[in-house]
Amino acid sequence: MVGAARRITALTGAGVSTASGIPDFRGPNGVWTKDPTAQRLSDIDSYLADPQVRVDAWRSRAEHPVWAAEPNPAHRAFADLAASGRLGSLLTQNIDELHQRGGLDRDQVLELHGSMLRVVCLDCGAASSMRSVLRRVAEGETDPPCPHCGGIQKSATISFGQALDADVLRAARRAALDCDLFLAAGTSLTVQPAAAFAELAVKAGARLVVCNAEPTPYDELADAVLRGPLDEVLPALAAVPPAEHAAP
Ligand code: NAD
Ligand code: ZN
């Protein structure tokens, strides 16, 4: 199926980064499975209302495994699919930038939920790097205000209660409509609107392949479901030669 595909749109979730040492949210060792209260750090109303939530959020960013993480074979498999000319866009719910570091062009990756390596001021919109803000935290500021307007800053990620970026959504929708294979990998397909792109692609005539360790609500819609570890499954998929070059 992957061999016959000419234009793949992918959707990835936290499962592609677990082999890089970044836990998912809802898997057996997920951050929220182990500590459901951690969700409050990702809620925009608590973030704005409660200074302690912001202090905890910066501390949790500083301790995040992303700083030691390297792309794994699952990330590199997408770069291989792109190099063979088959991968168009990759929609990701991940905020770790490991797809870009794993070899995909920046404009090929649609970050549906933003990036935790960037920071944005919620008042004036000024952008900065997470590294620079965490340096201020290490120097003793518990909730560093925006250097331009003094406003509240937050990682450039989409929290519960925040709208997704309209341009990114538009591009993601276009990519879902414009593919012959939609490859969902490492996502529980329970967060909307991300998961709905799989259905949109199928309605537009694409085949759907789901690669995930656990069942998802979209498995029944899929033409194939692969359950193995992604750092093995995805390299094997990317190694399937394109049909026109395959042996007869
Ligand atoms: P999720 O935790 O809901 O689902 C991840 C799925 O991946 C699970 O069903 C799990 O069974 C599967 N999985 C985990 N490791 C796997 C492996 N090695 N091989 C095969 N399958 C594996 O994650 P989601 O669907 O991405 O949920 C979305 C939310 O989680 C998003 O909002 C995203 O921003 C956030 N998130 C991002 C990161 C990251 O950037 N790496 C990490 C945790 C959570
Ligand atoms: Zn500002």
Side-chain angles (χ1 to χ4, degrees):
M1 202 174 306
V2 170
R6 290 173 173 276
R7 193 161 179 78
I8 301 172
T9 291
L11 167 68
T12 66
V16 296
S17 292
T18 51
S20 296
I22 301 180
D24 59 16
F25 278 170
R26 300 176 186 80
N29 294 312
V31 175
W32 292 346
T33 312
K34 287 181 166 173
D35 176 13
T37 61
Q39 284 202 36
R40 87 191 198 293
L41 299 185
S42 305
D43 178 81
I44 190 65
D45 292 332
S46 351
Y47 191 90
L48 287 170
D50 185 350
Q52 189 57 45
V53 167
R54 301 198 288 277
V55 172
D56 291 349
W58 294 122
R59 193 177 310 128
S60 119
R61 292 308 188 197
E63 292 165 359
H64 199 280
V66 74
W67 305 110
E70 295 293 334
N72 70 63
H75 297 106
R76 284 191 286 275
F78 286 108
D80 290 344
L81 279 174
S84 71
R86 288 176 286 178
L87 182 68
S89 296
L90 179 137
L91 289 44
T92 188
Q93 299 164 88
N94 295 348
I95 55 172
D96 54 26
E97 298 197 15
L98 287 178
H99 280 299
Q100 294 91 323
R101 288 177 55 203
L104 285 185
D105 287 346
R106 295 213 152 245
D107 58 4
Q108 210 166 11
V109 182
L110 298 172
E111 293 176 314
L112 297 169
H113 296 166
S115 165
M116 66 158 286
L117 301 185
R118 301 190 297 273
V119 167
V120 67
C121 170
L122 296 175
D123 289 334
C124 76
S128 52
S129 76
M130 181 61 83
R131 275 183 197 281
S132 66
V133 175
L134 290 183
R135 255 195 305 274
R136 292 171 62 188
V137 173
E139 285 162 6
E141 288 182 75
T142 52
D143 179 23
C146 171
H148 305 285
C149 77
I152 293 177
Q153 304 196 97
K154 191 179 84 65
S155 70
T157 51
I158 308 293
S159 298
F160 291 111
Q162 279 190 299
L164 276 69
D165 183 286
D167 290 337
V168 173
L169 271 183
R170 233 185 326 270
R173 198 179 146 77
R174 213 177 305 128
L177 291 172
D178 178 31
C179 66
D180 58 6
L181 179 75
F182 192 92
L183 176 58
T187 167
S188 59
L189 292 173
T190 53
V191 177
Q192 296 298 355
F197 290 122
E199 195 170 353
L200 187 65
V202 169
K203 284 198 174 133
R207 289 178 181 266
L208 172 65
V209 174
V210 173
C211 306
N212 202 58
E214 295 173 294
T216 82
Y218 291 80
D219 290 359
E220 278 185 21
L221 204 62
D223 296 280
V225 177
L226 304 169
R227 290 253 179 269
L230 290 167
D231 54 342
E232 294 172 15
V233 169
L234 290 175
L237 278 187
V240 175
E244 57 269 34
H245 300 131

